[in-house]
Amino acid sequence: LLSLSGNTTKIIEIANMAKARGAKTASITSFTTNSVSKIADYNLFCSSDDSFTKDNDSKSRMGMFIIVELLVSTIKNNLK
């Protein structure tokens, strides 16, 4: 579950649906107190100066991009 603010309505709905079906979930958000991280079983947090992403999406999401890249690389290396 990726949400910079952790309070994106659609992501919260998806998190609740997954939880209701018994799925384990992981979140990546930039703030420690938010709705998505309260629902998720596992939480990763990234740093961001701003959670408003409409105007400058890539700059505000850079920390999230780095975490996703590290996760993908780790999984890829473990599958070899």
Side-chain angles (χ1 to χ4, degrees):
L1 304 163
L2 302 172
S3 172
L4 193 60
S5 69
N7 293 310
T8 306
T9 304
K10 283 291 183 189
I11 301 300
I12 294 168
E13 289 174 12
I14 291 167
N16 284 321
M17 284 191 301
K19 198 72 154 174
R21 293 181 182 181
K24 293 285 186 185
T25 57
S27 72
I28 301 174
T29 66
S30 67
F31 306 110
T32 57
T33 304
N34 62 68
S35 298
V36 173
S37 67
K38 289 177 185 174
I39 298 166
D41 298 293
Y42 307 98
N43 297 292
L44 295 170
F45 302 101
C46 60
S47 176
S48 176
D49 291 338
D50 192 1
S51 65
F52 183 73
T53 59
K54 300 287 185 206
D55 296 329
N56 194 355
D57 200 43
S58 30
K59 181 182 175 193
S60 60
R61 293 181 184 265
M62 190 59 64
M64 192 176 288
F65 292 153
I66 292 169
I67 290 174
V68 170
E69 179 62 30
L70 289 170
L71 286 170
V72 170
S73 292
T74 300
I75 291 168
K76 185 178 173 183
N77 288 334
N78 287 333
L79 292 176
K80 290 181 179 177

